[in-house]
Amino acid sequence: GSSVQSAGLGEAEIAKVEAQLTQLRQRHNQLAHSNRAKEVALARQEDELRDIQKSAKPPDASSNPQLRQIRTLENRLDKAMIKFNEAQAIRKTYDQIVKRLKDERVNFDNQLGAIESTLRAK
């Protein structure tokens, strides 16, 4: 009698485990199908990305007159800036020369006055 009860209990447990196993297999199949669908979608998006990257090249300056004009204007601006900086450096040099000449004029006037007074004294 007791072996029949334990066998019955064992069959109930087996049936329960088999039901859980069936559920787990179904869930596994659902996830596997979902993964395959996502892999296909990913591959399609990667193909689209490659196509977009191939078609999206930087603008060619030789084919676009506006870009060519911009580059020309930039070059002219660079040359003008170089000339401006050179002119500033030359102006600074001349300002220093003028300051030095003014200083020397004061000394020259003093020296000339001293020489004149010495000549008058003789």
Side-chain angles (χ1 to χ4, degrees), residues 47-60:
D47 286 343
E48 287 176 24
L49 176 61
R50 274 192 293 276
D51 291 344
I52 291 171
Q53 286 172 336
K54 286 179 189 173
S55 66
K57 58 181 181 231
D60 185 14

Side-chain angles (χ1 to χ4, degrees), residues 82-96:
I82 290 170
K83 287 181 182 179
F84 173 77
N85 289 333
E86 289 173 352
Q88 289 290 89
I90 291 170
R91 179 172 179 249
K92 184 178 174 185
T93 300
Y94 280 124
D95 286 344
Q96 290 172 342

Side-chain angles (χ1 to χ4, degrees), residues 63-77:
S63 65
N64 189 334
Q66 289 174 331
L67 289 177
R68 226 183 356 242
Q69 185 179 13
I70 289 172
R71 188 156 347 280
T72 301
L73 292 173
E74 287 174 340
N75 290 339
R76 286 173 54 191
L77 177 62

